[in-house]
Amino acid sequence: MYKNKTFRSVTNTDNGEVSSETLFHYQQQDKLVWAEYAGGSIVKGFLIAVVLPDNSLDMRYEHINTQGELMTGRCLSTPEILPDGRIRLHEQWQWTSGDQSSGESVIEEVSA
């Protein structure tokens, strides 16, 4: 479902660092999903996740931002299949570094 998919941020709460300039490149092997991401205020990031029975993702992420800070967090991403077949992920996340705040974001698959 997630193999070789590219996603871009659509919305994010103010305490997040992902923006519309951030691109995520997803891969999948069985119930394991991982991605590399960068763009906007993120220099380089990685995530790893397990696919739950409903195809949502239980993930952990880490990245270096443009201030040189190492940021980490956890996220639950719930998929929605759009009418054109692309995937939209509704994300509930929480920082495990910094202020430990939480937020919500939406990323969508980029058309090929």
Side-chain angles (χ1 to χ4, degrees):
M1 180 171 184
Y2 298 104
K3 186 175 184 176
N4 296 322
K5 304 282 187 181
T6 299
F7 292 86
R8 181 186 300 275
S9 177
V10 177
T11 63
N12 199 0
T13 45
D14 290 341
N15 56 329
E17 294 191 340
V18 167
S19 70
S20 62
E21 298 174 340
T22 311
L23 285 178
F24 297 80
H25 302 283
Y26 275 62
Q27 294 297 326
Q28 181 171 0
Q29 182 178 343
D30 300 317
K31 297 293 183 188
L32 171 65
V33 169
W34 66 96
E36 186 171 335
Y37 60 99
S41 66
I42 297 170
V43 176
K44 179 71 74 176
F46 300 94
L47 65 83
I48 191 163
V50 293
V51 180
L52 302 177
D54 65 355
N55 283 321
S56 63
L57 300 173
D58 179 11
M59 75 172 62
R60 306 296 179 271
Y61 59 88
E62 59 190 5
H63 65 251
I64 302 287
N65 62 25
T66 52
Q67 289 76 47
E69 301 168 310
L70 174 60
M71 303 296 290
T72 62
R74 60 188 302 149
C75 180
L76 178 65
S77 295
T78 304
E80 170 192 357
I81 306 301
L82 298 173
D84 62 7
R86 291 179 304 125
I87 302 169
R88 175 185 289 154
L89 291 172
H90 298 270
E91 303 181 317
Q92 295 183 319
W93 53 264
Q94 180 176 11
W95 293 113
T96 55
S97 62
D99 65 7
Q100 311 281 311
S101 64
S102 59
E104 295 181 3
S105 56
V106 173
I107 66 172
E108 285 184 3
E109 183 180 347
V110 176
S111 296

